[in-house]
Amino acid sequence: MKLADAQIIQLPKIEDERGNLSFLQQGNQIPFAIKRVYWIYDVPGGEYRGAHAYKHNKEFIVALSGSFDVVLDDGVDKKVFSLNRSYYGLYVPSGLWRYMDNFSTNSLAFIASSTVFDTADYIRDYDAFLTYKKGT
Ligand code: TYD
């Protein structure tokens, strides 16, 4: 997949004086069926997460609270997406190197995934990722 396929997707935002509400649901908002969700929290200052690619898994990442950056890399170009609102997220196609950094205090990263957890789907070595990209 190409870096250009990664995109920020706006979610519905139902504004209400009692507090706002956003959602995503099967068949809407994001371009894959959700098989798994996970979240990352309590990230110490200066830490990063990720630094791997998935062969098949696609993701949709939302900063439910606070802010962080998602860096995507297709082996040639890099793009940084700063996430800091709970009503939009980043669609990350498969086949891209990605890491997350610059986590603010108390940030909460919510990730919807297209596959169940599978260690065989991970490429954790950057050189192996470059070799993989040459073969795709
Ligand atoms: P990992 O994907 O390496 O974290 P990150 O890329 O966000 O830094 O996952 C960290 C650990 O958690 C690893 O041992 C695998 C485990 N894990 C699961 O068991 N299920 C999951 O859905 C995820 C995302 C991770």
Side-chain angles (χ1 to χ4, degrees):
M1 288 299 242
K2 289 177 287 187
L3 198 49
D5 295 323
Q7 56 174 303
I8 296 288
I9 296 175
Q10 293 279 338
L11 297 172
K13 182 181 181 192
I14 316 293
E15 298 197 29
D16 192 305
E17 59 199 17
R18 298 169 301 157
N20 300 330
L21 182 154
S22 290
F23 62 90
L24 53 93
Q25 66 181 1
Q26 195 71 40
N28 282 300
Q29 286 89 39
I30 60 172
F32 59 82
I34 299 167
K35 289 242 177 92
R36 169 172 57 116
V37 298
Y38 64 97
W39 45 99
I40 296 172
Y41 51 97
D42 291 346
V43 179
E47 273 299 348
Y48 68 92
R49 297 296 310 232
H52 53 64
Y54 302 110
K55 294 176 201 162
H56 301 292
N57 187 40
K58 303 175 179 70
E59 294 185 327
F60 182 67
I61 305 175
V62 184
L64 282 186
S65 180
S67 62
F68 51 84
D69 293 339
V70 183
V71 182
L72 301 182
D73 175 346
D74 63 3
V76 178
D77 296 312
K78 272 186 194 176
K79 240 172 163 176
V80 181
F81 295 87
S82 294
L83 300 182
N84 56 15
R85 293 285 184 273
S86 39
Y87 53 84
Y88 63 72
L90 176 65
Y91 167 58
V92 182
S94 54
L96 295 177
W97 188 261
R98 77 124 174 91
Y99 63 89
M100 302 156 73
D101 66 3
N102 285 329
F103 286 90
S104 67
T105 305
N106 289 331
S107 56
L108 170 59
F110 170 86
I111 299 110
S113 297
S114 68
T115 65
V116 295
F117 180 70
D118 176 10
T119 46
D121 193 46
Y122 280 74
I123 304 170
R124 291 191 181 273
D125 178 77
Y126 190 72
D127 287 338
F129 167 69
L130 294 178
T131 304
Y132 173 78
K133 289 303 274 184
K134 278 183 198 141
T136 55

